[in-house]
Amino acid sequence: MALVQRIPNFSSNLRNWKSTNSTNHKPVSSLHYKTQITASSSPFTEKHSVERYQRDQWLYKASTPSPSPSPPSNQQDEVFVRENDIASQLPELKKLLEVLREKRESGCRGGDCGPGDVYLVGTGPGDPELLTLKAVRVIQSADLLLYDRLVSNDVLELVAPDARLLYVGKTAGYHSRTQEEIHELLLSFAEAGATVVRLKGGDPLVFGRGGEEMDFLQQQGIRVQVIPGITAASGIAAELGIPLTHRGVATSVRFLTGHSRKGGTDPLFVAENAADPDTTLVVYMGLGTLPSLAQKLMDHGLPCDTPAVAVERGTTPLQRNVFAELKDFATEIQAAGLVSPTLIIIGKVVELSPLWPHCTKESSCLVESR
């Protein structure tokens, strides 16, 4: 039995749900439906979306014609688009660097001008109301913001009108900029005296490669400040009413990456102790490797009826959830057609969610006691 749901603004309605259902808890009925997801409907910046080029249009003033948001048809076209995109942006990036350098030099006193600061800012899982006050202040004061795909459109609306945005997002098989190119962009603009903000979905230091960027810049003498964000595990679990740890149910929580370093179908690493039934597993970027991951967990002893949930585009109006037991999990996700970004939570705490469709004594008692 599995449950596929699309629940906008669930957290604001959770209290009302509990008050009307606490005395007569019943299992949530199974519901399957398919919805067509397009780049234009995504709450995030898809790689060739119209929104991306509109947001970054300042970069293409020197290019003729303007870049087309039409998606390439094959991998060779992807490479061409990436290289052409970077070449089209280069004149305006150089011009902005010159303007910033001149501004820095004219404002210097005594000829002692230090570099600008770089802020690694976590924007949370998508809902702009989950931003910290410090993150909002820094976003609104930046000269240049390099943003990832999983920074939501609503968060980007907070950017000051005179600031410059540059998309550096990555998806499987397409990196608009390599990590090394991102490093060099951050360094070049910081050396020009700019206040540079690196916007990342979730938390910069949780599977966000923020540590690599911080290490590189600090070695070059650039001051880096990290502003933490609510990582997807915390934000999405809260949205569903799932405690990641719970006395008597889960004594620890473990974050895993589902990415294979070589791009294969196996997850990067699954140790035997990851199959601990008293541990909650949270898998980031795990859609492609989930079938192998689920099987390995069961092979290592995790019960096949372990509750699990996959959450697509969590905390946004387009959130969809798939609940299932581990043995059926990969099949149910495939049937629902979930797309990236999807977070996966595996463990007994999942059935403590008021949305868990399986009626068990433990979950019923928990809901009734609230």
Side-chain angles (χ1 to χ4, degrees), residues 74-228:
N74 55 50
Q75 189 171 359
Q76 284 186 328
D77 287 345
E78 290 274 19
V79 174
F80 173 78
V81 168
R82 189 190 101 84
E83 292 177 351
N84 183 64
D85 210 27
I86 292 175
S88 299
Q89 295 173 359
L90 195 57
E92 291 301 318
L93 285 172
K94 288 182 176 178
K95 188 183 298 183
L96 179 60
L97 271 174
E98 293 172 4
V99 169
L100 290 169
R101 288 192 185 111
E102 291 175 2
K103 179 181 177 181
R104 174 193 177 202
E105 291 169 3
S106 64
C108 282
R109 296 181 179 179
D112 184 16
C113 291
D117 292 332
V118 174
Y119 295 87
L120 306 182
V121 179
T123 63
D127 183 351
E129 293 187 351
L130 296 178
L131 282 170
T132 65
L133 293 174
K134 189 173 184 179
V136 173
R137 176 175 60 80
V138 170
I139 288 171
Q140 293 177 336
S141 64
D143 296 311
L144 176 70
L145 301 98
L146 280 66
Y147 66 102
D148 281 345
R149 174 196 169 216
L150 297 185
V151 177
S152 71
N153 295 320
D154 288 338
V155 169
L156 292 171
E157 293 295 324
L158 300 172
V159 173
D162 57 343
R164 294 290 183 261
L165 283 157
L166 173 59
Y167 178 74
V168 293
K170 301 172 185 175
T171 57
Y174 182 84
H175 292 185
S176 61
R177 299 276 179 167
T178 66
Q179 191 61 45
E180 290 72 22
E181 289 168 341
I182 293 172
H183 289 173
E184 292 299 330
L185 283 166
L186 292 170
L187 177 62
S188 296
F189 282 94
E191 288 180 335
T195 298
V196 185
V197 169
R198 178 76 172 96
L199 289 178
K200 294 175 173 288
D203 184 272
L205 304 183
V206 179
F207 299 127
R209 304 189 73 169
E212 297 172 41
E213 294 169 2
M214 181 169 55
D215 182 55
F216 171 81
L217 292 167
Q218 288 175 339
Q219 289 187 32
Q220 310 303 317
I222 304 298
R223 187 171 69 165
V224 181
Q225 298 186 49
V226 178
I227 301 177

Side-chain angles (χ1 to χ4, degrees), residues 295-356:
Q295 188 59 54
K296 284 187 175 183
L297 289 172
M298 289 186 287
D299 290 345
H300 286 315
L302 196 64
C304 62
D305 60 352
T306 300
V309 61
V311 186
E312 174 194 276
R313 303 178 182 192
T315 78
T316 75
L318 293 182
Q319 175 175 319
R320 293 198 300 159
N321 315 314
V322 173
F323 287 86
E325 293 179 343
L326 187 58
K327 64 180 183 296
D328 305 316
F329 197 33
T331 302
E332 296 293 346
I333 289 176
Q334 184 177 13
L338 297 192
V339 299
S340 174
T342 291
L343 186 83
I344 294 165
I345 304 176
I346 301 171
K348 292 183 290 185
V349 293
V350 172
E351 69 179 358
L352 302 181
S353 168
L355 299 177
W356 175 247

Side-chain angles (χ1 to χ4, degrees), residues 207 232-233 253-259 267 270 280-290 293-294 297 309-311 329 342-346:
F207 299 127
V253 58
R254 181 170 182 172
F255 295 171
L256 303 173
T257 172
H259 264 332
V270 179
T280 303
L281 298 179
V282 182
V283 186
Y284 292 71
M285 303 168 288
L287 269 183
T289 57
L290 178 65
L293 172 64
L297 289 172
V309 61
V311 186
F329 197 33
T342 291
L343 186 83
I344 294 165
I345 304 176
I346 301 171

